Amino acid sequence: MPLPRPLKPLAAIGALALLLTGQVLAEAPGLNGELRGTGDLGVVIERASGSVALVDTTRREVLRHIEGFGDLSHASVKFTRDARYAFVFGRDGGLTKLDLLTGEIAERILQGGNSIGGAISQDGRFVAVGNYEPGGVKVFDTETMELVIDVPATYQRPDGSTAQAKVVGVVDVPGNVFVFSLFEAGEIWTLDMSRDEPELTKHRDVGSMPYDALITPNGRYYIAGLFGEDGMALLDLWHPENGVQRILPDYGQNDYGQGEQRLPVYKMPHLEGWAMAGNRAFFPAVGRSEVLVADTRDWSLTNRIAVHGQPIFVMSRPDERQVWVTFAHPLNDKVQVIDTQTLEVIATLEPGDSILHKEFTPRGEHIWISARDSNQVVVYDTRTFEELARLPAESPSGIFFTHRAHQIGL
């Protein structure tokens, strides 16, 4: 049956569009010649070889090992707003932009002497890098990688002299604001990039040696751990005029109100991957084989959970039913799982040697764990604890999946 006349041109146009689309798809560049999105991609840091493994979290496979990232002994990763690019922060001060679709390095600069992390602004325009050396924060344009602003972490010592502090705990918060801590200075600074002239605000005397920090998922509370004393420093970003509040100042005391001696600390806990479940927050105790539980309504300490060793990463499954814990040397051969309702350890796993880092898939059905000295990444089912895969990697450490692009502070 012939088509009515008005539809003939439309059918012809549709056929031509399909033909042209097919040509575009055939010619479009892509990783391994395959057109794909980035939603199920991730990056595994291979610290020994200065490379990263680009992985597919749905297929549970390594797509490519990519070299040329420099010193990755303490590297972290942030993703651009569109999840097309990953920015890798290297210990040699390198800032490397990786194209996830082509699996190639798009650009790399040496912006400092020693950097351990950074953040990307809410609107995706800026990437901030926190530096140990020379100290301070540098902000770059995410597209051009041109320097936008250099903020030295200059502080005044008790004797009146000035020095540069190591910058830790760099996070992004709503409003195109970066927040970070100064280790030696005991200060927390905010950098507002929403203005034509960026505005810097300094909060002083927040506590001794803030070593890392986290931001609550809604972007309200910035919390810095204190290495030089028990307790944490909390800044309410909805009401910064109230200053910094000390919370959990007595977590180092036992049930009799007496202070307990810390164990030797071989690895500083990391707070970025902290755990929240309902009105509870779970975080590692410095120098103690405990996971501490706080009530987020008033930030009081409510429970202590005895665990295998000194916790490094305490991370919540996306549905908040479980908390997974990894540990510091020399007890870093196991992973423990805590039930957030009973506060009991319900599983102890042994993925391999030198376990530190882990990452949940976006909806939490799987967890990927790096076994550094086994040169493997191990994938588990988080419901059954069944091992699903072992993937090859050169001394894997940090694991980062692209869903972080759409979460505050990650």
Side-chain angles (χ1 to χ4, degrees):
M1 179 179 177
L3 291 173
R5 286 185 62 87
L7 295 180
K8 281 184 178 180
L10 293 178
I13 291 171
L16 178 61
L18 286 173
L19 179 61
L20 292 176
T21 301
Q23 290 176 344
V24 171
L25 289 177
E27 296 172 0
L31 185 64
N32 301 332
E34 180 180 355
L35 194 68
R36 65 169 69 239
T38 61
D40 60 355
L41 297 184
V43 171
V44 178
I45 298 297
E46 297 180 301
R47 58 187 295 165
S49 54
S51 60
V52 305
L54 184 59
V55 299
D56 184 315
T57 63
T58 298
R59 298 178 181 177
R60 300 195 293 273
E61 65 181 12
V62 176
L63 300 175
R64 179 176 295 182
H65 298 273
I66 308 160
E67 299 180 344
F69 291 85
D71 184 352
L72 299 182
S73 57
H74 193 300
S76 62
V77 175
K78 301 293 179 180
F79 297 98
T80 55
R81 182 185 177 96
D82 61 1
R84 167 73 185 270
Y85 298 97
F87 279 95
V88 181
F89 307 87
R91 201 60 184 260
D92 56 359
L95 178 63
T96 309
K97 186 177 182 181
L98 170 65
D99 188 329
L100 299 178
L101 291 184
T102 65
E104 303 288 346
I105 291 176
E107 193 166 351
R108 172 175 166 79
I109 59 174
L110 289 176
Q111 58 78 41
N114 187 336
S115 59
I116 63 165
I120 292 179
S121 61
Q122 185 178 38
D123 64 5
R125 293 171 55 202
F126 307 112
V127 53
V129 186
N131 286 307
Y132 270 15
E133 297 174 5
V137 168
K138 290 184 179 179
V139 180
F140 298 86
D141 184 295
T142 54
E143 290 191 8
T144 66
M145 294 188 71
E146 294 179 353
L147 181 64
V148 176
I149 186 171
D150 184 353
V151 182
T154 305
Y155 73 102
Q156 190 173 47
R157 292 172 171 149
D159 63 4
S161 62
T162 60
Q164 289 281 341
K166 298 181 183 70
V167 167
V168 297
V170 183
V171 301
D172 62 282
V173 298
N176 289 337
V177 175
F178 295 116
V179 189
F180 48 94
S181 296
L182 281 62
F183 179 73
E184 293 87 352
E187 300 181 5
I188 295 173
W189 293 5
T190 63
L191 178 62
D192 187 344
M193 296 296 298
S194 67
R195 306 167 181 268
D196 292 337
E197 293 293 331
E199 182 176 342
L200 186 66
T201 302
K202 302 178 181 181
H203 299 272
R204 295 189 167 92
D205 300 322
V206 305
S208 178
M209 302 182 198
Y211 64 88
D212 196 12
L214 55 90
I215 190 78
T216 52
N218 62 359
R220 177 170 182 176
Y221 296 108
Y222 178 86
I223 303 174
L226 303 175
F227 187 69
E229 60 185 272
D230 287 338
M232 307 178 87
L234 179 145
L235 175 61
D236 184 345
L237 294 164
W238 291 6
H239 298 285
E241 69 278 3
N242 293 335
V244 174
Q245 173 189 353
R246 298 285 187 88
I247 61 173
L248 309 175
D250 301 321
Y251 80 71
Q253 294 186 358
N254 60 26
D255 294 337
Y256 304 98
Q258 298 174 337
E260 296 179 325
Q261 186 174 359
R262 289 184 180 180
L263 299 170
V265 177
Y266 296 103
K267 176 76 173 175
M268 299 286 271
H270 286 237
L271 298 181
E272 183 177 311
W274 75 322
M276 288 194 69
N279 293 321
R280 289 170 168 164
F282 297 76
F283 54 91
V286 177
R288 294 174 176 83
S289 298
E290 294 178 334
V291 170
L292 305 178
V293 186
D295 187 327
T296 59
R297 291 169 294 189
D298 60 6
W299 298 105
S300 62
L301 182 65
T302 59
N303 295 90
R304 303 167 184 263
I305 304 172
V307 289
H308 170 67
Q310 293 183 52
I312 294 295
F313 286 94
V314 177
M315 296 177 63
S316 175
R317 197 172 70 177
D319 65 358
E320 299 181 355
R321 289 294 303 274
Q322 297 173 351
V323 167
W324 289 60
V325 187
T326 52
F327 304 99
H329 175 81
L331 300 177
N332 57 349
D333 59 338
K334 292 180 175 61
V335 178
Q336 289 192 314
V337 184
I338 297 171
D339 183 295
T340 58
Q341 292 186 305
T342 65
L343 303 184
E344 296 178 349
V345 174
I346 58 173
T348 299
L349 308 175
E350 299 184 27
D353 297 326
S354 297
I355 307 299
L356 286 177
H357 299 269
K358 55 192 179 295
E359 179 86 327
F360 290 97
T361 50
R363 299 192 182 189
E365 72 280 7
H366 300 154
I367 189 169
W368 291 46
I369 300 173
S370 60
R372 187 190 66 200
D373 291 352
S374 296
N375 293 310
Q376 292 177 325
V377 174
V378 187
V379 185
Y380 286 97
D381 183 304
T382 59
R383 182 177 60 87
T384 65
F385 307 126
E386 176 189 0
E387 183 181 310
L388 301 176
R390 283 184 177 263
L391 309 178
E394 292 290 331
S395 299
S397 55
I399 305 174
F400 307 88
F401 295 157
T402 53
H403 70 277
R404 289 171 171 254
H406 311 297
Q407 296 178 271
I408 293 171
L410 293 180

